[in-house]
Amino acid sequence: DVKVTQSSRYLVKRTGEKVFLECVQDMDHENMFWYRQDPGLGLRLIYFSYDVKMKEKGDIPEGYSVSREKKERFSLILESASTNQTSMYLCASQGTGNQPQHFGDGTRLSIL
Amino acid sequence: GQQVMQIPQYQHVQEGEDFTTYCNSSTTLSNIQWYKQRPGGHPVFLIQLVKSGEVKKQKRLTFQFGEAKKNSSLHITATQTTDVGTYFCAGRGGATNKLIFGTGTLLAVQP
């Protein structure tokens, strides 16, 4: 069974801090994704990666960056956290083609 | 850009009643997936539809893909309390062929 592990379930940070959210998958999937989930807005794609060291912007990349140095790990970075980045962050991985996405448990991030 | 909308945003039903959520895309889709997210949980894949007009069933759940491949629906017959959660459709299509998630429908079931 696919396992996608996010480093924290809950995280509280302060405005202006640099924040790292980590995600690891164990299925050797090429594709990995970062979403944020907000009430009434569904899942919005921040960034995705289809290979090591490759990254592409999603629909809402502003204020975020990502890193994929190893195939199993995809990190989301908030360079200077702001209160409007308070949200639930979900990581997902996916194999090739039209295979389904497998999600981690999510990180509920609060920026004070 | 490509948008996928779902209605209703929220539905409250009595246990035993039926429930339907509708998904509409601004562009033609190559396929559509459905996910369920239990309260406090993460989205879990339910099914994928690929063909125009396709209908698939999973026990009390019936999934349809529209003839024009721009809309889809999920129907639950005789809801149970275990059906509570948010149901998302996710369509793949457009120039980028990215998977775009709908806004989700939150289902509440009263025993």
Side-chain angles (χ1 to χ4, degrees):
Chain A
D1 215 12
V2 178
K3 184 75 174 170
V4 179
T5 303
Q6 293 184 230
S7 52
S8 306
R9 286 301 304 270
Y10 300 94
L11 205 53
V12 180
K13 295 290 183 181
R14 296 207 174 273
T15 303
E17 280 193 70
K18 190 168 186 176
V19 181
F20 293 86
L21 302 184
E22 306 287 347
C23 176
V24 177
Q25 52 99 359
D26 66 356
M27 282 304 292
D28 203 36
H29 284 166
E30 290 79 8
N31 303 292
M32 296 188 75
F33 307 83
W34 275 105
Y35 296 90
R36 64 177 283 176
Q37 182 174 15
D38 300 288
L41 298 178
L43 301 175
R44 293 183 292 166
L45 182 64
I46 305 171
Y47 266 97
F48 67 101
S49 169
Y50 53 87
D51 203 349
V52 176
K53 296 193 186 295
M54 305 302 288
K55 61 184 179 184
E56 288 210 21
K57 293 180 180 178
D59 300 314
I60 51 165
E62 296 79 18
Y64 304 94
S65 63
V66 289
S67 172
R68 191 155 181 212
E69 296 298 317
K70 294 184 177 181
K71 192 174 186 180
E72 67 269 19
R73 185 180 297 270
F74 192 34
S75 303
L76 180 69
I77 304 154
L78 286 67
E79 296 291 343
S80 178
S82 62
T83 54
N84 63 13
Q85 292 178 309
T86 291
S87 186
M88 170 67 84
Y89 289 87
L90 287 162
C91 174
S93 75
Q94 180 197 320
T96 55
N98 293 324
Q99 294 183 42
Q101 295 190 5
H102 300 268
F103 287 84
D105 287 335
T107 295
R108 187 163 293 282
L109 175 64
S110 296
I111 307 297
L112 305 178
Chain B
Q2 182 186 1
Q3 288 187 320
V4 178
M5 301 299 295
Q6 269 183 267
I7 54 170
Q9 188 172 346
Y10 171 78
Q11 179 122 34
H12 177 259
V13 300
Q14 295 280 64
E15 191 172 21
E17 290 181 340
D18 292 357
F19 159 77
T20 304
T21 173
Y22 300 91
C23 180
N24 293 286
S25 169
S26 57
T27 59
T28 302
L29 302 170
S30 58
N31 61 70
I32 195 156
Q33 298 175 356
W34 284 90
Y35 293 76
K36 177 184 177 181
Q37 183 177 24
R38 293 183 187 274
H42 57 268
V44 174
F45 174 76
L46 294 176
I47 207 160
Q48 177 168 272
L49 305 170
V50 178
K51 299 176 184 175
S52 169
E54 188 171 12
V55 178
K56 286 188 176 181
K57 291 192 175 186
Q58 286 180 352
K59 296 182 181 177
R60 293 177 295 104
L61 277 61
T62 302
F63 303 84
Q64 289 190 311
F65 200 9
E67 294 288 344
K69 301 184 79 173
K70 294 182 74 172
N71 57 72
S72 181
S73 65
L74 158 59
H75 179 83
I76 302 178
T77 303
T79 54
Q80 299 175 359
T81 54
T82 52
D83 295 326
V84 298
T86 302
Y87 292 85
F88 291 98
C89 63
R92 193 181 296 280
T96 63
N97 207 37
K98 285 191 307 186
L99 191 67
I100 306 295
F101 279 83
T103 45
T105 296
L106 174 59
L107 172 64
V109 179
Q110 184 166 353

